[in-house]
Amino acid sequence: MGKIIALANQKGGVGKTTTSMNLAASLATLEKHVLLIDADPQANASSGLGVDLAEVDVSIYDCLVNKTDPHEAIYETDIKGLDIIPSHIDLVGAEIEMLNLSERERILENLLKPLRAEYDYILIDCSPSLGLITVNALTAADSVIIPVQCEYFALEGISKLLNTIKIIKTKLNPKLAIEGFLLTMYDSRLRLANQIKEEVQRHFQELVFKTVINRNVKLSEAPSHGVPAILYDADSTGARNHLELAKEITDREKK
């Protein structure tokens, strides 16, 4: 049975999509069979993994709104063992269309049930909001990774997300766990970055991943080439950081 992990933070620009793509690629490099679901209307994870959005016939939108079989929406990537269900700009209006559907918070959970047996990990890249699709992702997930950028206002909004997680645990998904807080965009030369790192570690303690994602130009460049950092420059700090994160997650499963 595959593990479903949502990557969520309603604050934009925290490195969520970068982490989703590169963690998925790193898990596949560790010979895990991985499916990435791009649940963000911006579709950056899709294009960042080489999907030509103009050529996409079936996306996560069709699965959520039209109940299309998710197998029809799965696309292979350039990395062996990594598949993706791409997003579409239509996803912007999907939340309104889903409002009248029965069990609207569980649509994604029901979609993913047949796919669990086919993958080791299913990652969901959530949009930077706490709307119905993010609620669907958290209801379907076993755990959630919360990226926190090492910059000013980093902790702003986290309490709102934690409150949402608490509500979902109470009403929709009692098994939902926090996989971990992931520090992103870290620059050890900056005093502020070090202060935020210490503050997050002090506040959330063992819930913070040991792996830290450093600020890295290769991570920023890779998506424009339609590949994750591990294919763009395997020796880059960004590629190595995400491989460490993948190992940290898989090592936990062995315990």
Side-chain angles (χ1 to χ4, degrees):
M1 282 288 279
K3 183 172 188 178
I4 301 176
I5 304 176
L7 288 96
N9 191 330
Q10 80 272 26
K11 192 172 183 303
V14 298
K16 184 180 48 56
T17 297
T18 300
T19 301
S20 302
M21 287 165 40
N22 288 289
L23 174 58
S26 297
L27 286 166
T29 304
L30 295 177
E31 300 186 337
K32 302 295 180 185
H33 197 196
V34 185
L35 175 66
L36 176 60
I37 295 171
D38 189 351
D40 184 343
Q42 295 174 81
N44 290 336
S46 306
S47 57
L49 286 177
V51 175
D52 183 347
L53 298 173
E55 301 286 314
V56 170
D57 295 320
V58 184
S59 69
I60 190 65
Y61 169 83
D62 302 285
C63 302
L64 290 170
V65 175
N66 303 323
K67 302 283 173 68
T68 305
D69 183 340
H71 289 95
E72 292 180 31
I74 294 172
Y75 293 75
E76 292 180 352
T77 71
D78 290 339
I79 289 197
K80 186 175 179 286
L82 173 57
D83 296 336
I84 184 168
I85 294 183
S87 184
H88 193 278
I89 191 65
D90 286 350
L91 204 59
V92 169
E95 300 202 347
I96 297 164
E97 295 178 71
M98 289 162 68
L99 282 176
N100 297 322
L101 300 177
S102 63
E103 289 217 290
R104 61 190 182 197
E105 295 90 357
R106 296 191 183 277
I107 295 169
L108 187 56
E109 180 187 13
N110 294 327
L111 269 177
L112 297 183
K113 273 177 187 167
L115 298 178
R116 263 190 190 265
E118 299 169 31
Y119 292 93
D120 298 307
Y121 290 94
I122 298 175
L123 304 185
I124 309 171
D125 181 27
C126 299
S127 67
S129 76
L130 292 178
L132 185 54
I133 292 171
T134 299
V135 168
N136 261 264
L138 294 173
T139 303
D142 298 304
S143 62
V144 55
I145 291 174
I146 303 168
V148 181
Q149 87 280 39
C150 294
E151 292 178 357
Y152 198 58
F153 294 137
L155 298 176
E156 192 183 66
I158 283 185
S159 58
K160 204 180 281 184
L161 175 61
L162 292 177
N163 197 40
T164 301
I165 290 169
K166 194 171 157 189
I167 292 166
I168 284 167
K169 279 188 76 157
T170 307
K171 299 193 172 174
L172 294 164
N173 181 7
K175 72 180 189 304
L176 182 65
I178 291 176
E179 188 75 29
F181 290 86
L182 177 68
L183 291 157
T184 63
M185 304 181 190
Y186 176 64
D187 186 340
S188 60
R189 297 167 301 178
L190 301 177
R191 192 199 302 172
L192 179 65
N194 287 304
Q195 283 173 346
I196 287 164
K197 183 184 175 193
E198 285 165 21
E199 192 178 339
V200 171
Q201 288 171 334
R202 187 175 65 249
H203 200 73
F204 298 110
Q205 297 174 3
E206 73 279 358
L207 284 176
V208 183
F209 284 108
K210 290 184 178 69
T211 305
V212 174
I213 309 299
N214 290 276
R215 200 174 265 292
N216 178 240
V217 70
K218 301 289 185 187
L219 269 183
S220 311
E221 291 173 356
S224 64
H225 296 268
V227 291
I230 206 157
L231 283 188
Y232 183 62
D233 184 349
D235 287 328
S236 66
T237 304
R240 281 188 278 115
N241 287 164
H242 284 94
L243 203 52
E244 281 166 34
L245 176 64
K247 284 176 183 161
E248 191 174 341
I249 289 169
T250 53
D251 285 349
R252 286 178 181 180
E253 307 298 312
K254 294 173 193 167
K255 288 176 183 173

